[in-house]
Amino acid sequence: MDQMSSFRALLLALLQICVFRVEFTVAQKDPEFIGLPPIVKIQEDSQPNSLVLEFQVKTVDPDPQIEIFNINPPTTVFALPTIHQGTGTIHNVMLRLSSNASLDFETLRLYRLELRVSANNSTATQTLEVEVLDVNEPPQCDAVFQFPGAVVKIPNDLTVPIELYHVVASDPDINNNLNYRIHQVWPASARPQFMIDGTGTIYSNQGFGYQSSDKDFIVNVTVSDEQGASCTGKVRIEILPVLDHTLNFTVPSQSVTISEDIQVGSVVAIVKALGSDLRYEFVGNYPAYRISQDGIIRTTCELDLETDGDQQWSILMIRAFSTTHRSGTATVNVTVLDVNDNPPTCTPSVIVLCIPETISIYSELATLSCSDADITNNSVSYQLEPNAVSQFKFRLQGSQLQVNNTLDYDNAEIAHNNFQYKATIFVIDGGLPPLTTVVQVLVTVTPVNEFIPGFQQPVQFLVNEDAGRGTVIGMVRATDRDWEHDSIRYSITGADQGFSINPRTGELYLRRELDFETQPTHQFVVQAVDLNQDINPSVRKQTTQEVTINVQNVNDNPPECNPFYETEIYSTLSLTEEILSLTCWDIDGDRLTATLTNGGKNDRFRLNELQLFSKNAFSYNPEGIFDPIFFELRIEVTDGKFSTTVLVIIHVKPWTTTVPTTTTPTTTRKPRVQTVISSYWEPEPWFVAVMTVTIALALIALGLLIWKILQCTSACGKPTQEMSQPLLQNTYVNFAEEAKPQNPRDTPQTFDGKAQDPVTGRNYLFNSITGVRRWT
């Protein structure tokens, strides 16, 4: 039982798959054209609403829509297709001609229709070509010739062969020859008298006798094509009598003169014959004139001698005839006077040129070819009219336009006019009044790179040696006499000198630090190249200029000195004798000054410029004042901004005056340079207030710290003293007693006198017993 159920389920699944595939296949082809061929043929004589084609559309949609969405070439020959419900999914479609359709093989032989059917939210398209088949159409004869028939009146005195009538007929079909045939003549006895040629012209090979023969004939003509289709018509021939006596004109010959611009229908002349009940007609063909039944000759069209020169002289022959068959002729000679109604025509009608500005004077620009269509007074003259910009720039030599002056491109005036020179040439004919044709001249001048750029001053610049990178040093400027005068690009040639240039403006920039002491002058070459000065952008001219940059010295280096000196002098050295001279220099070249910064111990020395002198104020009295014999001096050497400190050691030998002082500089010690930069800074008020408060708080904190330390010292000092006493009992040395023999000044002395030193002028105290002295 379970196997049976499984088999049924499997069978049901396979059936559903098959149904799905069938539905899918149907959906893939829905909708679909059935029985629609790629081409269908229809005869050109098909009537409106005729059936063109019947085909079918297959779709499950019960209401499909079909349309012609494109016809090439566009036409209204075809009606909208109609669709009818068929059996099941098949629907019948009928394509017909429209109600006003007219097919013509000779005009259009093929139509391409694009059909589209819409169903089930899908569309299908297919192209159908409709070919028009040729059908032989009968010839078409002149309507009057067919019915009621043409009438020809012939005087009886014409000589044979007599041309009677020309049958007018045509065949709508292409390349179809017509055949003309006389199929009947009335009276029948006159049949041999008439013939017709291949062009349709009817002739008579016999003369007509008004008194002795028939006076009225009817000729029936058939016109047929190669397939046998035909049309018929008839010609009635009436014979007019010609009497021996003629009608006389009041003026049998006259001459008239009219103007070319006479209005259409104007009277040209009037002819008059003697008699009553008269009619007038032209004997010949004169298309420009017509004559009324009362003998008035008028124009039928506008006269134009330039178009038809034969109209200038015409001889009109007029015949007058009466109902009694009397006739007569007269002539009218018509002379048409030319009117100046055509202005000159010129080639070229406009002169537009592009020429280089270097074109030479008297060069040919253009040659006019002008003519006047009037048959008289048709000479032409030329006149040049320049505008304000082109004044004296051009000239005319006959009909030739030439350059008369330099056509300069390089000035603001012509640039303001878009580099164009304009002029007008007036071409005047010789008629009265004269007519003029205007030829505009537009000459565009193109640039030529003629000149080399030239540099302007300055080409030397000053710059401080402390200038920073990017500083603008100056600007070089080159000008070009070619327009535009400043269309120049700058560059620095050669090796990199630490400078750069703005290629457009010529501004020079510093790219590195300068040092006057190392290189006070810099030189480099600037190149200027002009741009867009020629119609050919690759044509450029260039020039170069050497530029000098002079570095201006700035005090940016501290003085340099030998940092250490050591020498011996005698205490009796003269005030004017130099102890030593400082060896100092400033690479900036500034003036140096020196100052003793430690005072030389009780003012024993002085400085003059960079020379050190003694003030001779030493006292070496063992019983009195005994000055030090070793002095360490610190001397500050400054250039006004920077300073350097020099250390000088002086050993003084007491009491000796015979040995000259020697100076022994040493260079074994490493130089020690101290640089002091003097500057002035003025702080902001808020900063002063903040700093004042900060310092006050710092002082308070410092006071508290000192107070705390003192408290600690007071608390801890006594134990320290007790502990240190045993340590000092065995190590005490009386340095005062050991030094007593060496320095008598350490021995307490009693001074009982006062005197003045004769050399220095200083006062001193002395002991009259021991001789000890001490300066006061």
Side-chain angles (χ1 to χ4, degrees), residues 427-458:
V427 184
I428 307 168
D429 65 12
L432 290 176
L435 298 180
T436 302
T437 295
V438 176
V439 178
Q440 297 293 342
V441 178
L442 178 61
V443 178
T444 301
V445 179
T446 58
V448 175
N449 197 353
E450 302 175 82
F451 306 105
I452 299 175
F455 278 90
Q456 298 178 348
Q457 296 296 327

Side-chain angles (χ1 to χ4, degrees), residues 518-660:
T518 304
Q519 187 176 356
T521 302
H522 298 266
Q523 290 182 330
F524 52 86
V525 176
V526 174
Q527 176 179 273
V529 180
D530 57 16
L531 299 178
N532 303 321
Q533 305 291 37
D534 197 282
I535 193 170
N536 182 0
S538 64
V539 177
R540 299 178 180 178
K541 294 184 182 295
Q542 63 185 35
T543 186
T544 57
Q545 175 65 51
E546 186 177 72
V547 175
T548 301
I549 305 296
N550 293 318
V551 181
Q552 194 165 7
N553 189 23
V554 174
N555 187 6
D556 60 346
N557 293 288
E560 296 183 23
C561 299
N562 287 337
F564 178 75
Y565 295 86
E566 186 172 7
T567 185
E568 275 188 351
I569 64 172
Y570 289 93
S571 61
T572 57
L573 183 65
S574 172
L575 296 174
T576 59
E577 187 173 349
E578 174 186 305
I579 298 175
L580 57 84
S581 179
L582 302 179
T583 303
C584 299
W585 61 94
D586 189 352
I587 59 176
D588 294 320
D590 296 317
R591 182 178 178 273
L592 302 179
T593 58
T595 306
L596 280 168
T597 60
N598 63 352
K601 285 193 178 181
N602 299 325
D603 200 18
R604 298 292 194 276
F605 304 95
R606 65 182 179 87
L607 285 169
N608 184 12
E609 299 283 331
L610 298 180
Q611 287 78 37
L612 180 64
F613 295 88
S614 171
K615 291 186 177 180
N616 200 4
F618 300 106
S619 176
Y620 294 102
N621 188 347
E623 302 298 330
I625 299 174
F626 196 91
D627 288 336
I629 61 173
F630 172 82
F631 292 89
E632 181 180 311
L633 305 181
R634 295 187 182 275
I635 302 175
E636 182 182 53
V637 180
T638 180
D639 59 5
K641 182 178 181 181
F642 302 99
S643 63
T644 298
T645 300
V646 177
L647 178 63
V648 178
I649 303 297
I650 300 177
H651 300 273
V652 181
K653 290 185 177 183
W655 308 107
T656 303
T657 59
T658 59
V659 180

Side-chain angles (χ1 to χ4, degrees), residues 260 287-288 302-313 375:
E260 179 185 13
E302 292 183 353
L303 302 180
D304 189 359
L305 300 183
E306 292 74 35
T307 303
D308 186 0
D310 294 338
Q311 293 179 352
Q312 189 172 9
W313 297 283
I375 62 174

Side-chain angles (χ1 to χ4, degrees), residues 79-119:
L80 294 175
T82 57
I83 188 166
H84 304 281
Q85 178 68 43
T87 302
T89 60
I90 305 300
H91 303 269
N92 297 322
V93 181
M94 303 181 71
L95 177 64
R96 296 179 178 274
L97 297 178
S98 64
S99 59
N100 59 349
S102 176
L103 301 177
D104 188 4
F105 173 82
E106 289 73 26
T107 303
L108 192 59
R109 303 182 183 184
L110 184 67
Y111 297 92
R112 182 173 286 103
L113 285 66
E114 294 187 31
L115 303 175
R116 177 167 59 199
V117 61
S118 302

